[in-house]
Amino acid sequence: MNSFIQDSAIDLSLDLQQHYAHLLVFPQCYDSFIPAPHLPISALLDFTNLPPFDHSLTVADLYRFFTSKHCVTNDVPADFLDRSLPPLSLSTQLLNTFSQAYHDGVKSVKDPRFLGNLPFWVVQYWHDLGCAIAAKERWSLARDWLSGQRENADTDLAAAIDEVFSSLRVLGWGTTLRGPAAALQVLDLAEFLSSTPMKGRFIDAMVESDGVDDEAPLEVVLEHIMSDKTYVPEGYIMGTDGSLIVDGAADKHCDMISPSDSEGIEEAGRGKRWRIANTQYGEYDAH
């Protein structure tokens, strides 16, 4: 392994990392080859000239991309734009370790599949283009899933899916969401458009409630999210925390747990306990 890829990396200060940042800025003439983040998702899906990932490369190949030999030019070979890219996981790791590698004496970047050295900015280019390629792959799967759901959908669901397709013609593929979901990217919405379970962090960020009606249909949740929580569908109300609640479906009442009720204290804690009786989906307890 090259000496500049060390097991115990130096904790570089933010100032030093910023000092190296200018080395990763690629020439503006290459900007046009990377879909802009504000480009609508539907336009990204129509982008036909994105290169594929080379999945034969892995993070284990990390050290092979840095070299102590100088690169005599800031340009790249004529066939560079036609080459397949390192996977996004690898280019991300290259970007994360660049400051340390440069501090340890690397002079240029090398694609182990080809002869010759490359300027440092290639690492940033690989990463940024890789983000667009990965986003296209995920949204392609989401689009296919939506199309499959559309085939046998009833009128209401079909209308909701058509609304989602309309949103894909507006939402920028690399932009962030607004409001309570501002910590998420638009790309995270793609996880809602599949048959796999959604990650809890997305639910928490989108609806911000532990008492969300998890039986709400997909189209209801999507319409609520796409409207930045300004749209409340018929049959629902919006709680003070911005969550969707089935209108009239829940009734709260409060019980006092007696100190002598050792079992109740052990299970639910001493003091008040809220019981939420949901007339549609049974009941559950919450403090």
Side-chain angles (χ1 to χ4, degrees):
M1 180 178 292
N2 295 28
S3 60
F4 43 78
I5 305 296
Q6 302 176 353
D7 293 332
S8 55
I10 299 173
D11 184 14
L12 297 176
S13 68
L14 181 60
D15 289 341
L16 279 175
Q17 294 183 44
Q18 292 175 343
H19 173 71
Y20 301 143
H22 73 280
L23 299 172
L24 297 170
V25 178
F26 50 84
Q28 288 187 350
C29 60
Y30 292 97
D31 284 344
S32 60
F33 298 102
I34 301 177
H38 63 267
L39 187 74
I41 295 166
S42 59
L44 176 68
L45 292 172
D46 292 336
F47 230 84
T48 58
N49 58 345
L50 294 178
F53 287 126
D54 184 350
H55 291 289
S56 67
L57 296 170
T58 67
V59 175
D61 297 307
L62 183 67
Y63 73 95
R64 300 171 59 198
F65 282 84
F66 291 122
T67 176
S68 57
K69 295 181 180 179
H70 284 278
C71 183
V72 297
T73 177
N74 196 43
D75 208 348
V76 290
D79 67 341
F80 175 76
L81 296 176
D82 298 323
R83 296 177 181 178
S84 56
L85 264 65
L88 181 58
S89 58
L90 176 54
S91 63
T92 299
Q93 191 66 21
L94 287 169
L95 200 58
N96 290 340
T97 58
F98 172 75
S99 295
Q100 180 66 54
Y102 184 82
H103 179 85
D104 290 338
V106 300
K107 303 301 182 184
S108 64
V109 175
K110 178 179 177 61
D111 188 332
R113 303 168 298 174
F114 302 93
L115 297 175
N117 299 335
L118 299 167
F120 289 128
W121 61 259
V122 164
V123 173
Q124 187 72 60
Y125 179 85
W126 279 337
H127 175 268
D128 292 359
L129 184 56
C131 287
I133 296 171
K136 180 181 179 181
E137 290 178 350
R138 287 176 61 182
W139 278 113
S140 293
L141 293 174
R143 178 186 58 184
D144 293 345
W145 181 85
L146 274 175
S147 297
Q149 298 297 309
R150 180 69 172 78
E151 290 180 2
N152 300 313
D154 58 31
T155 303
D156 291 339
L157 178 57
I161 292 176
D162 290 342
E163 182 65 25
V164 174
F165 276 124
S166 297
S167 297
L168 300 187
R169 293 192 287 270
V170 177
L171 293 172
W173 71 267
T175 55
T176 58
L177 296 172
R178 297 177 296 169
L184 299 180
Q185 299 287 319
V186 166
L187 180 58
D188 292 320
L189 290 176
E191 297 221 10
F192 283 87
L193 306 176
S194 71
S195 298
T196 57
M198 290 178 282
K199 293 183 176 65
R201 70 184 186 91
F202 296 144
I203 300 296
D204 293 341
M206 295 294 185
V207 233
E208 289 190 313
S209 173
D210 293 330
V212 176
D213 170 20
D214 57 8
E215 298 297 326
L218 171 66
E219 65 269 22
V220 171
V221 177
L222 285 175
E223 286 184 274
H224 188 54
I225 293 169
M226 292 295 189
S227 69
D228 198 21
K229 294 194 172 184
T230 60
Y231 168 72
V232 180
E234 184 178 357
Y236 291 81
I237 58 175
M238 188 162 64
T240 56
D241 61 355
S243 61
L244 278 183
I245 303 171
V246 177
D247 191 6
D251 179 33
K252 293 183 179 180
H253 59 88
C254 180
D255 294 335
M256 291 297 296
I257 299 178
S258 170
S260 61
D261 185 4
S262 59
E263 181 179 354
I265 293 175
E266 181 179 350
E267 293 182 357
R270 186 182 300 275
K272 287 187 177 182
R273 179 174 50 144
W274 285 103
R275 170 168 296 162
I276 302 175
N278 193 310
T279 58
Q280 287 189 339
Y281 308 115
E283 64 179 33
Y284 61 96
D285 293 334
H287 288 292

